[in-house]
């Protein structure tokens, strides 16, 4: 049985030990003494580890699969969802963004019919989402690590980047205004 939180994934082994997977930028394994937790690389997760995971919320599961996809070089999209009578989600399916096929579009498509997916079912007894289906097989090449940031889903500006861009735009506006007023003054002096 496994659980996921925003910062770590806990994999409970057959023994009493727990294995944590760091979901930050440092996805490497660390092993400490017997009093500290062991860390496992996300690359070391087996299919069975993922099939045995459970999540507190559907959002946590989606975050995990997006992290997994980013690490492995593909993007995720939400597919099927089923809700109960109270409109609460009890089934969610997440797919590789190349799943399915395109019909009737004149535009080129990126859909290849990829079968990779993660399906979650809500377990009423333990009040958690469990992975019911996990298929890691892709029918296309995965994006190399050095190009993953170019996948449209991952092209995001950090707050620091946004501040740099906004500062640059502000300076350009000031330069344009300065040039405009300078030329206006020169025209008035010539007249």
């Amino acid at each position: 049985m496994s659980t996921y939180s925003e910062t770590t994934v806990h994999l409970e082994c057959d023994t009493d030990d727990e294995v944590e997977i760091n979901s930050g930028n440092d996805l490497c394994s660390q092993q400490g003494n017997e009093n500290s937790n062991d860390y496992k690389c996300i690359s070391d997760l087996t299919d069975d580890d993922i099939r045995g995971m459970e999540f507190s919320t559907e959002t946590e599961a989606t975050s995990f699969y997006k992290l997994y996809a980013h690490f492995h070089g593909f993007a995720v999209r939400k597919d099927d969802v089923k809700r109960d009578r109270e409109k609460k989600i009890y089934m969610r399916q997440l797919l590789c963004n190349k799943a399915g096929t395109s019909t009737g579009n004149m535009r080129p498509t990126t859909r290849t019919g990829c079968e990779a997916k993660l399906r979650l079912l809500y377990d009423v007894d333990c009040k958690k989402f469990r992975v019911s289906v996990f298929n890691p097989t892709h029918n296309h090449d995965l994006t190399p690590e050095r190009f993953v940031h170019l996948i449209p889903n991952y092209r995001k500006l950090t707050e620091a980047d946004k501040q740099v861009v906004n500062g640059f735009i502000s300076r350009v506006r000031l330069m344009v205004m300065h040039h405009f007023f300078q030329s206006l003054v020169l025209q008035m002096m010539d007249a």
Side-chain angles (χ1 to χ4, degrees), residues 121-163:
L121 288 175
Y122 186 72
D123 185 340
V124 179
D125 295 333
C126 70
K127 297 185 180 352
K128 292 188 178 197
F129 284 89
R130 292 186 183 210
V131 175
S132 65
V133 175
F134 174 65
N135 182 354
T137 309
H138 295 268
N139 67 354
H140 55 88
D141 292 333
L142 297 176
T143 305
E145 182 180 347
R146 67 181 186 274
F147 297 124
V148 168
H149 69 282
L150 299 174
I151 296 174
N153 292 18
Y154 304 128
R155 288 188 213 156
K156 305 283 187 236
L157 288 177
T158 64
E159 283 302 315
D161 292 339
K162 289 177 186 177
Q163 289 175 356

Side-chain angles (χ1 to χ4, degrees), residues 59-73:
T59 304
E60 281 184 359
T62 302
S63 296
F64 166 76
Y65 196 52
K66 285 181 178 180
L67 175 70
Y68 175 86
H70 188 274
F71 181 82
H72 287 285

Side-chain angles (χ1 to χ4, degrees), residues 28-112:
C28 297
S29 62
Q30 300 175 347
Q31 299 206 353
N33 60 32
E34 58 189 46
N35 293 332
S36 69
N37 292 326
D38 293 337
Y39 293 93
K40 185 175 180 181
C41 289
I42 197 163
S43 62
D44 294 338
L45 276 175
T46 65
D47 296 351
D48 289 334
D49 288 339
I50 294 172
R51 285 185 188 100
M53 287 183 149
E54 52 186 40
F55 304 89
S56 298
T57 65
E58 182 255 342
T59 304
E60 281 184 359
T62 302
S63 296
F64 166 76
Y65 196 52
K66 285 181 178 180
L67 175 70
Y68 175 86
H70 188 274
F71 181 82
H72 287 285
F74 67 99
V76 173
R77 66 183 168 89
K78 293 180 178 180
D79 182 40
D80 199 12
V81 64
K82 293 189 178 167
R83 299 175 186 269
D84 62 14
R85 291 181 183 171
E86 287 126 25
K87 304 290 183 194
K88 292 182 183 175
I89 295 173
Y90 71 88
M91 193 280 295
R92 164 68 76 187
Q93 184 162 282
L94 304 167
L95 304 173
C96 171
N97 69 333
K98 295 188 179 210
T101 57
S102 181
T103 57
N105 265 346
M106 297 303 287
R107 294 180 4 190
T109 182
T110 59
R111 303 280 173 94
T112 64

